[in-house]
Amino acid sequence: MRPNTSIVFNQAPRRILLHALFWLAVLIVLTVIYGAGMPDYRLAIGVVAMFLPIHIFYFYSIAYILIPRFFNRKRYAESLLFLLLCVVLSTLAFRLLEILVADPVIYNSVKKSDPTFVWRKLQGSFQEQLAKPVYLISAFEQTNIFVWIALSVKFFKMWFERRQAAIEAELNFLKGQLHPHFLFNTLNNLYALTLNQSPRSPAVVMGLAEILRYMLYEANTEVVDLEKDIRIVESYIALEKIRYEERLDINFSINGLLPEYKIAPLLILPLVENAFKHGASEQVGQAWINIDLRLKNNLLKFKISNSKPENGTEDDNKRHHVSIGLTNVHKRLDILYPSAHQLRILEEDDMFAVILEIELDKRVEI
């Protein structure tokens, strides 16, 4: 497979523009800061522009040599040595540029307006000026302050991108778990029908094919039409009705569903599947499931309740609460709708209920 280089090239002009704007902002800020102590701002911007290449060289040496070649490869001793080399070289370069160019230019400019001006910073020989600790410390501070602001931004960006990649990988893993989990349960249903040579087996195969097609080809997006997701739920219920026949009483009411509503795919189906798996399938006699879906102003309220098996043990009840489907839904909600959802699981003497509320317009972009 050939790498998709077009994305990289498309992003390059934007990255170059952002970097150029950052260094322009640095130039303006430093000019404002140091211009207050100079005869005029034209001189200030010229002097600051002299030092800007040192800041730029220092930053890109760390950002594009030290971090990828040493730090990211866990070569920490070499990283430290490279960093110390950058600090020493940039500080010396800054101080040399001060002594040889910048300070004489500033001194001559001030001298024109004030012939009596004396600048102690220029006193002494070249070696004496270079060796003065106070000015070396000043050069170190001025060299590092904006470079490390820029590096802080880069480190935050790296952390954020890695976090997003980890979240996306986890979401793909959770969605991937839904497919075999659903398929395993439905194939069990189909196996039971074929053992009895039921004429309804072909209908189950067709229904299963429709649901799998949706999972494999339509649900691989960040959001889907809520109507489509609900239609797949209805198809799943139709499959289960074939299996349970008259032994199951199921009601599904929908209110306020509009075409414009979007949702992250496969959040509702596992809740329905859970009600069948841990409710109707474990109950010998008559079973019931009630489903209610209401939507208003992008707020989805979904409630599903099912009868509890009469002879259910404590372990059975626990499995209802911690099933793979419910666990996956809970994790995906925490990632995609972190502050815009509620998922409650209720248990009473004769029933289980799951209540889900989602603010559909507050999904986090991944």
Side-chain angles (χ1 to χ4, degrees):
M1 181 181 292
R2 295 181 59 186
N4 189 356
T5 56
S6 61
I7 297 176
V8 177
F9 288 123
N10 289 338
Q11 292 178 345
R14 181 175 177 271
R15 291 180 61 191
I16 292 172
L17 177 62
L18 289 174
H19 282 242
L21 289 174
F22 173 81
W23 292 114
L24 178 62
V26 171
L27 178 65
I28 294 171
V29 171
L30 289 176
T31 299
V32 171
I33 292 173
Y34 294 110
M38 294 187 186
D40 58 65
Y41 281 98
R42 286 184 300 175
L43 174 63
I45 196 170
V47 171
V48 171
M50 291 182 196
F51 292 101
L52 201 59
I54 296 175
H55 295 290
I56 292 173
F57 179 79
Y58 185 10
F59 169 76
Y60 290 110
S61 295
I62 294 176
Y64 293 98
I65 298 178
L66 186 152
I67 294 175
R69 295 189 182 182
F70 300 110
F71 188 80
N72 287 349
R73 297 178 183 179
K74 298 183 179 180
R75 296 161 64 179
Y76 299 124
E78 292 162 292
S79 298
L80 180 60
L81 289 174
F82 190 92
L83 177 61
L84 291 174
L85 181 64
C86 288
V87 169
V88 171
L89 289 178
S90 60
T91 301
L92 284 176
F94 192 96
R95 187 71 188 108
L96 288 172
L97 190 58
E98 274 189 320
I99 296 170
L100 298 175
V101 183
D103 287 350
V105 168
I106 296 171
Y107 177 76
N108 292 330
S109 178
V110 176
K111 194 76 173 175
K112 289 178 182 179
S113 58
D114 183 8
T116 63
F117 174 69
V118 176
W119 198 4
R120 293 182 179 180
K121 187 179 180 181
L122 297 181
Q123 292 176 352
S125 64
F126 170 79
Q127 291 82 1
E128 290 173 338
Q129 292 183 50
L130 184 61
K132 289 180 180 179
V134 64
Y135 298 120
L136 283 173
I137 293 172
S138 176
F140 169 80
E141 291 175 347
Q142 294 180 71
T143 304
N144 280 275
I145 182 169
F146 278 98
V147 168
W148 283 98
I149 290 174
L151 286 171
S152 298
V153 173
K154 180 172 180 62
F155 280 124
F156 177 79
K157 181 173 177 287
M158 289 170 58
W159 169 83
F160 183 78
E161 288 175 346
R162 289 182 180 182
R163 179 177 176 273
Q164 292 296 96
I167 290 174
E168 187 172 349
E170 183 176 2
L171 279 174
N172 289 334
F173 172 74
L174 293 173
K175 285 174 66 176
Q177 280 189 319
L178 291 174
H179 297 184
H181 184 227
F182 164 78
L183 183 60
F184 176 78
N185 291 336
T186 309
L187 286 177
N188 274 344
N189 298 345
L190 180 60
Y191 177 69
L193 290 173
T194 54
L195 282 179
N196 297 323
Q197 298 182 344
S198 171
R200 297 183 176 183
S201 298
V204 174
V205 173
M206 292 301 295
L208 178 59
E210 179 188 1
I211 295 172
L212 288 179
R213 182 171 59 250
Y214 174 77
M215 286 182 166
L216 294 173
Y217 301 112
E218 297 185 46
N220 289 328
T221 57
E222 293 185 2
V223 293
V224 295
D225 292 336
L226 181 57
E227 285 184 328
K228 286 186 178 180
D229 222 50
I230 298 303
R231 202 156 54 236
I232 292 303
V233 170
E234 291 174 330
S235 296
Y236 176 80
I237 292 172
L239 289 181
E240 294 289 15
K241 282 183 176 179
I242 293 174
R243 175 189 176 189
Y244 291 101
E245 298 181 334
E246 301 300 322
R247 190 168 69 82
L248 176 66
D249 180 20
I250 183 165
N251 297 292
F252 189 3
S253 62
I254 301 174
N255 292 281
L257 182 60
L258 299 175
E260 62 264 26
Y261 287 135
K262 307 284 185 181
I263 192 172
L266 303 174
L267 286 175
I268 295 176
L269 179 60
L271 303 182
V272 177
E273 182 187 4
N274 190 71
F276 279 97
K277 185 176 188 300
H278 298 288
S281 68
E282 296 178 358
Q283 194 159 344
V284 176
Q286 191 72 18
W288 58 265
I289 296 176
N290 291 326
I291 306 172
D292 184 64
L293 176 69
R294 297 177 183 273
L295 294 118
K296 185 177 182 181
N297 298 328
N298 273 299
L299 177 62
L300 178 148
K301 293 184 178 181
F302 178 82
K303 178 180 179 181
I304 180 166
S305 55
N306 61 272
S307 54
K308 184 190 292 186
E310 294 179 1
N311 298 320
T313 65
E314 186 175 342
D315 288 340
D316 293 333
N317 298 341
K318 184 177 179 181
R319 284 200 303 272
H320 192 287
H321 288 278
V322 296
S323 69
I324 293 175
L326 277 179
T327 302
N328 284 356
V329 169
H330 189 63
K331 287 182 178 179
R332 291 183 67 211
L333 286 168
D334 284 341
I335 294 172
L336 296 170
Y337 301 92
S339 59
H341 81 276
Q342 284 187 347
L343 181 62
R344 290 174 288 164
I345 303 173
L346 308 176
E347 180 182 355
E348 296 181 5
D349 292 338
D350 60 345
M351 61 166 282
F352 286 108
V354 177
I355 301 173
L356 171 64
E357 295 185 10
I358 305 177
E359 296 179 64
L360 298 175
D361 57 341
K362 293 186 179 179
R363 185 183 64 85
V364 173
E365 298 289 339
I366 300 298

